[in-house]
Amino acid sequence: MSNSRLIVIAIDGPAGAGKSTVAKALAKRLDFFLLDTGAIYRALALQASRLGVAHSDGPALGKLADSLPIRFDAESRVWIGSEDVSTAIRTPEMSQGASTVSAHPEVRAALLGLQRQLATAGSCVVEGRDIGTVVLPDAPLKFFLTARPEIRAQRRFDELRARGQAVGVDLATTLKEMQERDQRDEKRQVAPLKPAADARLLDTSDLSFDQVVSAMEQAARSRLAL
Ligand code: DC
């Protein structure tokens, strides 16, 4: 597709709704690039932990976010400076950490411009919590993915297991932590997790991965005339 018409597809929703895998596959099918905004909050939480900045300290986190040396490479790996942190940011600790740091208004303000700027690099699929509502409200196509909590927890647990990060973690704990995170993401003052008024809601609980991606691809091709 030509670069003269840059298109953004926004995908929001809670943890475990299938956003990441689906967004990746959709981007590939459409030959768009993928922007995983959760990775930015995760990288900030990791950097804060390493530098001894408390996840409760909004002003300090805002400053850290202003100069966070984060970048994504062509394979969507995440770098802080010269270190590939793609795996380090995917632990349960960093899931909670990202949710905590992302609730601070200073952090959200600091990372807004970065997300918008990254989204101008080409046509892209952008996934997060507030993409359709706040970051890119003019996106011509928006999805909000959901699934029942038990299903989302099972998916998260399977992901952790597949990455060898499930040691000492069980399904019940994963469910509990996910529900805490949903609560925090939905209740925060700035840019809470919620569907945009013009988002297409998709409950993925009883759909296969392929059904979800195909439905989204079809919507994209007809809505955006791709
Ligand atoms: O999508 P994820 O699980 O990697 O996101 C981690 C946390 O980052 C999530 O619990 C809330 C926060 N987040 C956010 O507040 N806004 C976004 N656009 C993306 C993620």
Side-chain angles (χ1 to χ4, degrees):
M1 87 148 278
S2 104
N3 266 351
S4 56
R5 191 173 64 122
L6 294 185
I7 293 171
V8 172
I9 298 177
I11 306 182
D12 291 303
K19 286 189 316 278
S20 302
T21 34
V22 159
K24 196 169 173 183
L26 183 66
K28 197 162 175 210
R29 286 193 194 185
L30 299 175
D31 198 19
F32 282 17
F33 83 87
L34 173 69
L35 177 56
D36 167 9
T37 61
I40 303 175
Y41 291 98
R42 288 171 180 271
L44 177 65
L46 181 66
Q47 183 79 331
S49 296
R50 288 179 172 177
L51 297 178
V53 175
H55 288 178
S56 55
D57 188 344
L61 289 165
K63 279 199 193 117
L64 197 61
D66 267 332
S67 57
L68 186 69
I70 186 174
R71 69 182 175 84
F72 293 88
D73 66 18
E75 280 78 49
S76 297
R77 300 195 71 76
V78 187
W79 297 74
I80 299 179
S82 58
E83 184 188 355
D84 177 354
V85 295
S86 310
T87 307
I89 61 170
R90 301 280 162 205
T91 61
E93 291 72 32
M94 287 309 130
S95 295
Q96 296 302 325
S99 174
T100 305
V101 302
S102 73
H104 296 292
E106 297 90 339
V107 166
R108 302 207 76 85
L111 294 178
L112 191 56
L114 171 69
Q115 294 172 80
R116 287 183 176 156
Q117 182 221 320
L118 288 170
T120 61
S123 287
C124 53
V125 173
V126 187
E127 63 134 320
R129 300 289 188 289
D130 60 338
I131 306 306
T133 49
V134 174
V135 179
L136 300 161
D138 296 334
L141 183 59
K142 303 173 184 177
F143 294 99
F144 193 88
L145 299 192
T146 58
R148 294 190 291 278
E150 298 70 28
I151 294 202
R152 296 194 284 117
Q154 184 70 56
R155 288 176 183 163
R156 257 296 131 104
F157 186 63
D158 291 345
E159 256 173 49
L160 287 173
R161 227 176 6 198
R163 283 201 298 268
Q165 290 179 332
V167 182
V169 180
D170 59 28
L171 183 58
T173 312
T174 306
L175 176 60
K176 186 170 150 280
E177 289 184 354
M178 210 188 61
Q179 286 175 318
E180 282 169 16
R181 193 143 74 96
D182 288 351
Q183 281 273 324
R184 206 180 305 122
D185 295 349
E186 285 163 10
K187 297 272 148 56
R188 68 175 173 233
Q189 295 294 313
V190 185
L193 169 67
K194 65 165 186 212
D198 54 348
R200 295 168 188 232
L201 303 186
L202 199 52
D203 185 329
T204 67
S205 302
D206 302 311
L207 298 175
S208 70
F209 166 76
D210 198 57
Q211 283 173 318
V212 178
V213 181
S214 295
M216 293 169 83
E217 182 185 5
Q218 213 168 29
R221 293 201 184 279
S222 63
R223 172 81 179 82
L224 306 171
L226 295 175

